[in-house]
Amino acid sequence: MVFFTSCSCALFLFFCWSVMSGEIFVHAAEPSGDEDLKAPVLNENSFFPPLRLSSSFPEDLEMIDHCLNLLHDFGQRYTSLSSCLVSNARPVKMCQNCYSGYNVFLDMYTNISTQVGPGNKSCEELLLHADRLMLLYNLYKGLNDIWESAECTSCLTDKNSVSNDTLHFIDRYNQSLTCFEKYSHGNYSELCVECRSSYKVLNELYSNMSKHKALCIDVEDAMNSTRYSWSKIYNCSLKREENVPVIAVSSFMLFLPLIFYLSNYLHSEQKKRKLMHPKRAKSSHSLMNIQDKYS
Ligand SMILES: *[C@@H]1O[C@H](CO)[C@@H](O)[C@H](O)[C@H]1NC(C)=O
Ligand SMILES: *[C@@H]1O[C@H](CO)[C@@H](O)[C@H](O)[C@H]1NC(C)=O
Ligand SMILES: *[C@@H]1O[C@H](CO)[C@@H](O)[C@H](O)[C@H]1NC(C)=O
Ligand SMILES: *[C@@H]1O[C@H](CO)[C@@H](O)[C@H](O)[C@H]1NC(C)=O
Ligand SMILES: *[C@@H]1O[C@H](CO)[C@@H](O)[C@H](O)[C@H]1NC(C)=O
Ligand SMILES: *[C@@H]1O[C@H](CO)[C@@H](O)[C@H](O)[C@H]1NC(C)=O
Ligand SMILES: *[C@@H]1O[C@H](CO)[C@@H](O)[C@H](O)[C@H]1NC(C)=O
Ligand SMILES: *[C@@H]1O[C@H](CO)[C@@H](O)[C@H](O)[C@H]1NC(C)=O
C-alpha cells in the first residue's frame, strides 16, 4: 500500500515536471515543428510578426516602422483616454475632464487613417482594415460612440474648452451641494429653507441651457442627482411658493358668484325701498343720485 502511493506520487511528480518543461505536450501539439508559429513566443522583439511577411522592399520596411510607431502612440492615447473616462464616470465629469484626451485620441486616429508615410501610403490599410476583426477600428469606434452619445460637444466651445455656460452651471451646482452638505446634519426642514434659493437658480439655469440645447451628460447627471437629493433624500419641495398665486386667483374666482349675488341683492333691496317709500326716496336727494348711477 505504502509502496503503491509513493509510486504514484513519483509518477505524478514526473508528470508535472514533464508538463512544465514542455517535453510531452509541446511536441504533441506542434508535430510539424513549424518555426514561424513559434516565432512570436521566442522572439520578443518582433512586436507585430505578420507584418514581416510583406517586408520584401526597403521602403515597405520603412513604412511598417512608421505604422508601428503610430500604432504605439495610438495605444498610449487609447489607454489614457480610457482611464480618464473610467475615473470620471461617477459622478459624471467626463466631458469637463477628458476633452483634451479625446481630442488627442481623435487626432491620432485621423493621422493613422490619412497621414501618408514613406511609401506615399497611409497606415489605414495596414493597421485598421487588414483583418476581419478590425480591432483597432472597433476600439476607436467604441470610444467615439461613447463620446458622441454623451453629447460632450454641447458643453464645450470649439471642442477645446469648457463653455462658460457649463462652468457657470458647475459653479452653481457646487453651491447647492455645499449648502446641502452644510445643512444635512439633522433637521432637513432647515435645509429646505436655506438651500431653496440656490436650488431654484440651478433649476432655472438648467432649463435655460436645455432650451439652448447646451446639455451634456455632466450637466444632466449633476441636475438629476441634485433633484434626486432635494426631493427624495431631503423631502424638500419647490412647489409651495409657486402655488400662492394659483390659490389667490382660484379663491377670488370662488368668491365671484357670491359678490355677484350680493350686489344683485343690494341693488334689488334699493329698488324695493324706492317702490315702498317713493315719497321718502324723492325727498332724499342724495339717494336718488345713487340710484341714477346704478340704473
Ligand atoms: C498628427 O499629425 C500632425 C501633423 O503631422 C501632428 O502635428 C500631430 O502631432 C499628430 N497628432 C498626434 C496625436 O500624433
Ligand atoms: C507622393 O505623392 C506626391 C503627390 O501626391 C508626389 O508629388 C510625390 O512624388 C510622391 N512621392 C513618392 C515617393 O511617390
Ligand atoms: C467666457 O469667459 C471668459 C472669462 O470670464 C471670457 O474671456 C470669454 O470671453 C467668455 N466667453 C464667452 C463665449 O462668453
Ligand atoms: C466644485 O467643487 C469641487 C470640489 O468640491 C472642485 O474640485 C471644483 O473645482 C469646483 N468647481 C467649480 C467650478 O467651482
Ligand atoms: C425641525 O425644525 C422645525 C422648524 O425649524 C421644527 O418645527 C421641528 O420640530 C424640527 N424637527 C426636529 C426633529 O428637530
Ligand atoms: C434664463 O434666461 C432668461 C432669458 O434668456 C433670463 O432672463 C434669465 O435670467 C435666465 N435665468 C438664469 C438663471 O440664468
Ligand atoms: C436620475 O438619478 C436616479 C437616482 O440616482 C437614477 O435612478 C435615474 O436613472 C437617473 N435618471 C437619469 C435620466 O439619469
Ligand atoms: C420623506 O417623506 C416620506 C413620506 O412623506 C417619509 O416616509 C420619509 O421618512 C421622509 N424622509 C425623511 C428623510 O424625512
Side-chain angles (χ1 to χ4, degrees):
M1 188 63 186
V2 174
F3 171 75
F4 181 72
T5 34
S6 59
C7 216
S8 54
C9 259
L11 267 175
F12 178 71
L13 283 177
F14 174 73
F15 175 77
C16 287
W17 175 79
S18 311
V19 169
M20 274 175 356
S21 61
E23 288 233 319
I24 295 179
F25 285 99
V26 169
H27 285 299
E30 291 175 29
S32 63
D34 195 334
E35 298 247 297
D36 279 343
L37 277 177
K38 276 187 196 165
V41 181
L42 294 176
N43 185 2
E44 286 182 340
N45 291 332
S46 77
F47 178 49
F48 209 81
L51 283 177
R52 236 178 17 176
L53 298 173
S54 53
S55 64
S56 30
F57 300 103
E59 67 235 35
D60 279 358
L61 264 179
E62 250 180 87
M63 184 67 192
I64 285 158
D65 247 19
H66 170 73
C67 292
L68 284 181
N69 280 339
L70 285 185
L71 178 63
H72 181 247
D73 285 355
F74 179 85
Q76 285 185 331
R77 314 283 186 229
Y78 184 89
T79 312
S80 62
L81 177 58
S82 307
S83 87
C84 182
L85 291 181
V86 169
S87 53
N88 287 286
R90 284 273 86 218
V92 188
K93 290 179 179 170
M94 57 176 272
C95 297
Q96 305 157 53
N97 294 336
C98 302
Y99 66 88
S100 55
Y102 175 76
N103 287 343
V104 181
F105 172 72
L106 194 66
D107 201 27
M108 194 64 237
Y109 180 81
T110 314
N111 279 3
I112 287 183
S113 55
T114 60
Q115 206 178 58
V116 290
N120 249 7
K121 282 184 284 184
S122 86
C123 296
E124 185 176 23
E125 215 176 300
L126 210 56
L127 296 180
L128 299 178
H129 299 295
D131 57 290
R132 173 176 67 82
L133 189 58
M134 300 196 294
L135 181 58
L136 291 179
Y137 171 74
N138 281 313
L139 288 175
Y140 155 77
K141 192 168 176 297
L143 284 192
N144 202 46
D145 285 353
I146 289 172
W147 192 260
E148 276 174 5
S149 64
E151 296 183 35
C152 287
T153 40
S154 307
C155 289
L156 304 171
T157 22
D158 304 328
K159 304 185 177 185
N160 247 332
S161 61
V162 182
S163 72
N164 283 357
D165 275 356
T166 308
L167 285 178
H168 188 205
F169 179 87
I170 293 167
D171 192 37
R172 285 298 183 161
Y173 168 63
N174 266 10
Q175 284 177 26
S176 285
L177 284 193
T178 312
C179 184
F180 286 179
E181 210 147 281
K182 187 174 168 193
Y183 291 100
S184 64
H185 310 291
N187 201 338
Y188 288 160
S189 56
E190 198 182 1
L191 183 148
C192 296
V193 175
E194 298 294 331
C195 305
R196 185 197 163 81
S197 60
S198 65
Y199 177 70
K200 204 171 167 216
V201 168
L202 191 70
N203 265 300
E204 281 172 11
L205 214 51
Y206 184 80
S207 69
N208 267 10
M209 287 170 82
S210 82
K211 273 181 214 145
H212 300 132
K213 306 233 179 310
L215 297 181
C216 62
I217 189 68
D218 294 21
V219 171
E220 290 166 31
D221 181 68
M223 193 66 235
N224 185 36
S225 69
T226 315
R227 280 179 178 159
Y228 185 83
S229 305
W230 173 261
S231 58
K232 293 279 168 5
I233 296 178
Y234 303 126
N235 270 1
C236 304
S237 162
L238 266 189
K239 292 280 150 49
R240 243 166 266 152
E241 198 180 76
E242 281 154 15
N243 277 349
V244 169
V246 176
I247 291 171
V249 167
S250 44
S251 46
F252 175 72
M253 298 296 240
L254 264 178
F255 277 105
L256 265 186
L258 205 65
I259 293 167
F260 174 77
Y261 284 121
L262 201 65
S263 64
N264 239 8
Y265 171 77
L266 289 175
H267 199 179
S268 59
E269 275 294 284
Q270 275 177 344
K271 274 188 176 163
K272 229 190 275 173
R273 224 185 293 162
K274 185 185 162 191
L275 285 174
M276 282 167 75
H277 315 283
K279 278 172 196 165
R280 223 205 286 170
K282 250 179 208 167
S283 66
S284 165
H285 195 71
S286 57
L287 186 61
M288 214 160 87
N289 274 353
I290 293 172
Q291 279 170 349
D292 281 345
K293 273 182 205 159
Y294 274 111
S295 52

